[in-house]
Amino acid sequence: MTDDTSNTMWGGRFAAGPDAIMEAINASIGFDKRMAKQDIEGSRAHAAMLAAQGILTDNDARAIREGLLTVLSEIETGKFTFSTALEDIHMNIEARLKEIVGEPAGRLHTARSRNDQVATDFRLWVRDQIDACLQAIEALQKAFLAQAEAGTDWVMPGFTHLQTAQPVTWGHHMLAYVEMLGRDASRFSDARARMNESPLGAAALAGTSFNIDRDATAQALGFDRPAANSLDAVSDRDFALDFLNAASICAMHLSRFAEELVIWSSAQFRFVALSDRFSTGSSIMPQKKNPDAAELIRAKVARIYGANTALMMVMKGLPLTYSKDMQEDKEQTFDAADNLMLALAAMTGMVSDMSANQPNLEAAAASGFSTATDLADWLVRSLDMPFRDAHHVTGSLVKLAEDKGCDLPDLSLDDMQSVHAKITQDVFDVLGVKNSVASRTSYGGTAPAQVRSQIARWKEKLG
Ligand code: ARG
């Protein structure tokens, strides 16, 4: 005998309901209610297909499909009461549907299982999320592009090892992030294309004996095709991992720029000023303006990696097909998606609002012997010196400048000739930072002419 505390959906073989602790560990409604819209979309497509196949009557299908819209509007307007006893979003919705339309509700689950249902819902949710990420990435690319346009030929130091390396242009540096974000977008698009197969109709794991039409439900839900193996369809979570991988790499890019902003906005660098809208003050040190948003982006990225690692760990030990472990796929993915969207939005705000300090950038570009390579190249070109020798001569000149406490362009011709007699006055033409950047005209190089053509390419691409 079933007592009245046992589960109404699966309690047929149970004599008693679950312990409160069991209910707490088992329930996913606290988080999977976020998939309500996708669940209802999937169920409506399933009901329509069942009717088209003659498995449900048209009347039952209509009642179900309309009832589901009522449930959706109750959820969207906050009128729906979620129940932990009903475990998850699937059973919460079905139970409410039963209250609204009565007996036909019980027919909706024909030729379906929560296993293919949840796999479908979650795919639809991740797919929606990818679309949102793609938009957010594009907005950030446009913000970087606007910065690149505003300061295409401003000179700044380029770094390796965070040591001054060679002068580069601000436009070039901004475009580096446009490129990274372009790859991020392409990773999300790849993930979207790969995941776009419908698990619906795989049923519990083995498929179904009902004469269903999986192509019809796939098409109704915007999938490219039904997934070809029912065992794989219910137990695959690669699509969420693809999403989390793409999110992790994108977040890594955000974190790198966040780190640059923290450095650049410091009193020691003063390369950029962040807007008041995206910084905070200190309650004790009145002079401070802190790059909190950049720091938080840098930190939130850790959560996204955490979610990626967690789901890899959840999945790695699971035999085919569905195991309840897989319920742990959602919370972390939701959290990662939320934080990525927040980080993208915050970064877009910071990049749009920041103002580069052109004089400081240029002054910094000129310090630290940043044109040493130009000098070595001049020795190669003008004196036909092998590059290795030129490197050595330049090293000696850097040492001389260092001893004198000056920069390379401040050395006199006599100083230069004391190191190598054949150096002529022309050398000073290549030592200015502007000359240096203007000379780097190789494809993808930092010369303003190159940067301008890359800006044009991206403007065309981003519209
Ligand atoms: N809430 C479950 C999940 O998220 C739905 C699938 C339940 N399936 C099952 N066989 N118990 O994974």
Side-chain angles (χ1 to χ4, degrees), residues 31-81:
F31 48 89
D32 66 14
K33 59 180 165 207
R34 286 187 67 167
M35 305 191 305
K37 184 172 127 311
Q38 290 79 8
D39 193 74
I40 286 172
E41 241 179 277
S43 290
R44 295 188 78 238
H46 184 65
M49 179 278 290
L50 290 179
Q53 296 298 103
I55 301 166
L56 267 190
T57 64
D58 286 342
N59 278 345
D60 283 352
R62 194 171 318 113
I64 290 170
R65 282 167 55 79
E66 278 168 18
L68 284 168
L69 287 183
T70 308
V71 177
L72 182 61
S73 87
E74 288 179 359
I75 292 173
E76 283 176 348
T77 54
K79 286 188 200 123
F80 192 95
T81 315

Side-chain angles (χ1 to χ4, degrees), residues 119-341:
T120 304
D121 294 3
F122 195 29
R123 267 184 207 238
L124 291 173
W125 192 90
V126 170
R127 200 178 69 184
D128 288 346
Q129 201 58 43
I130 287 177
D131 293 342
C133 284
L134 286 170
Q135 275 191 14
I137 287 172
E138 193 174 311
L140 179 53
Q141 283 183 298
K142 285 180 174 164
F144 275 116
L145 195 55
Q147 284 286 349
E149 263 195 290
T152 306
D153 56 2
W154 298 353
V155 181
M156 66 179 284
F159 299 94
T160 58
H161 314 269
L162 196 56
Q163 308 284 322
T164 302
Q166 293 172 353
V168 297
T169 47
W170 172 259
H172 197 211
H173 199 109
M174 294 297 105
L175 283 188
Y177 283 95
V178 178
E179 293 288 339
M180 291 177 231
L181 290 163
R183 290 193 299 278
D184 292 331
S186 101
R187 263 182 287 274
F188 279 116
S189 300
D190 287 350
R192 193 190 196 286
R194 193 157 38 246
M195 68 171 282
N196 207 28
E197 294 186 345
S198 172
L200 197 57
L205 75 167
T208 173
S209 57
F210 289 97
N211 176 30
I212 59 171
D213 181 353
R214 293 193 59 207
D215 287 301
T217 44
Q219 203 190 355
L221 296 170
F223 288 114
D224 295 327
R225 64 192 79 84
N229 182 303
S230 63
L231 304 176
D232 179 45
V234 294
S235 67
D236 164 35
R237 293 295 181 271
D238 297 4
F239 62 92
L241 287 166
D242 268 348
F243 170 73
L244 291 172
N245 273 298
S248 295
I249 297 176
C250 178
M252 177 271 288
H253 291 145
L254 299 185
S255 186
R256 292 185 76 174
F257 192 65
E259 172 67 6
E260 295 204 309
L261 283 182
V262 170
I263 296 170
W264 289 359
S265 62
S266 69
Q268 288 68 25
F269 270 74
R270 289 187 298 123
F271 282 9
V272 295
L274 298 175
S275 74
D276 290 352
R277 300 196 316 145
F278 287 96
S279 22
T280 58
S282 156
S283 52
I284 182 162
M285 295 165 284
Q287 85 283 12
K288 298 255 290 184
K289 188 162 159 186
N290 296 326
D292 293 42
E295 296 164 87
L296 286 163
I297 289 171
R298 201 170 53 183
K300 278 184 181 302
V301 164
R303 293 167 67 157
I304 299 172
Y305 298 170
N308 193 10
T309 308
L311 186 53
M312 290 289 271
M313 296 302 285
V314 165
M315 295 306 294
K316 77 173 181 62
L318 301 186
L320 300 187
T321 54
Y322 180 86
S323 295
K324 198 60 174 264
D325 308 52
M326 288 160 73
Q327 181 164 285
E328 286 291 315
D329 57 2
K330 285 175 277 301
E331 230 174 339
Q332 306 250 14
T333 306
F334 294 162
D335 185 77
D338 291 345
N339 281 291
L340 181 66
M341 288 300 284

